[in-house]
Each structure stands twice: as structure tokens, then as C-alpha cells.
Amino acid sequence: MGPGDVLVDVRAAGVNPLDVMIRNGEFKHVLNYPRPFTLGHDVSGTVTELGADVGGFKVGDAIWARPRDHRIGTFAESIAIDATDIGLKPASLSFAEAAAVPLVALAAWQAGPRRRYEMTRSTNCWAGMSNAVCRS
């Protein structure tokens, strides 16, 4: 664990097609993980330790995250994650629900920068994690 990392006790981990594709080597030209490695891209859990340079979080915080590439491994019991890759879990979500969101939300966000711009220009538009509701 580095000075900018947060150690997380994993309470739930999301399972994605990306995990299967990485396991099968479909991305090894881009993401070449040395074997053996632990899969898992989505996580929710509880902070158990903070690196020396970490601020904004405390031990016991409930978080959700999508660890950056080459730092995956959310199928483990605990994982060290760069503090810039985590956020406080919304209180309205269970740990299981929160673990289902990060990678899917990232994909939705990356899918349409122009569409996001157009939607946010409207005062009657609310953008959510993976969809938007607009009224004219």
C-alpha cells in the first residue's frame, strides 16, 4: 500500500463482461496483466487504513470505486486503491447495489460527451448515472 492509497475491506464486488474478457486474454495487447492476478473492477466496502498522503476519507467510511487499470482485484477480501479512484458510497444504496454501479456508470459517461453537453444545456434535464430524463 502506497502513501496515496486507501485499504478497503471488500463488502461487495461487481461482475462484468470485462472481467471475462481480461481473463480470456482478449485485452492483453492493451492490458497485459502478469499471471496470476485477481479480477474485479467494481467494489464497495469499508475503509480500514489510509496512506500517509490521503485526506478526505477516514477509517470506517463506506466507499465505492472502480480501481484504475493495472490495480484491479476487487474479487479479493481487501484491496488497496488509489484514493483518487474512490468516492463515498451513497447512503441510499446497499453495498451490493453500490458495487454494481462504477464501471457501468463510467461506460455510460464515456459513451457520449456531446450528448452530455447538449443535455446539461437544458434547464429541464436531469442526468443520472446511465440515463437522462428531459422534458421540453
Side-chain angles (χ1 to χ4, degrees):
M1 193 171 105
D5 290 342
V6 172
L7 188 62
V8 176
D9 177 41
V10 175
R11 296 281 304 272
V15 180
N16 295 285
L18 178 60
D19 296 306
V20 174
M21 290 184 269
I22 287 176
R23 181 201 64 194
N24 292 343
E26 294 177 40
F27 286 99
K28 66 181 169 186
H29 62 285
V30 179
L31 297 170
N32 193 11
Y33 292 102
R35 294 184 185 265
F37 63 92
T38 303
L39 289 166
H41 288 81
D42 293 314
V43 67
S44 65
T46 307
V47 173
T48 59
E49 188 178 336
L50 301 170
D53 296 341
V54 175
F57 298 99
K58 63 184 183 308
V59 171
D61 280 345
I63 63 91
W64 60 352
R66 190 292 193 197
R68 63 189 61 199
D69 292 335
H70 301 288
R71 299 278 313 261
I72 65 169
T74 64
F75 294 172
E77 292 180 9
S78 64
I79 182 173
I81 305 171
D82 189 294
T84 61
D85 293 343
I86 71 171
L88 294 173
K89 179 185 78 62
S92 61
L93 297 180
S94 69
F95 282 100
E97 292 166 336
V101 173
L103 188 59
V104 173
L106 176 62
W109 182 253
Q110 291 172 329
R114 180 167 173 75
R115 180 73 177 134
R116 281 194 313 274
Y117 173 75
E118 291 168 356
M119 289 186 312
T120 56
R121 289 182 60 203
S122 167
T123 57
N124 295 318
C125 191
W126 300 269
M129 283 291 210
S130 63
N131 61 24
V133 176
C134 301
R135 286 189 284 175
S136 50

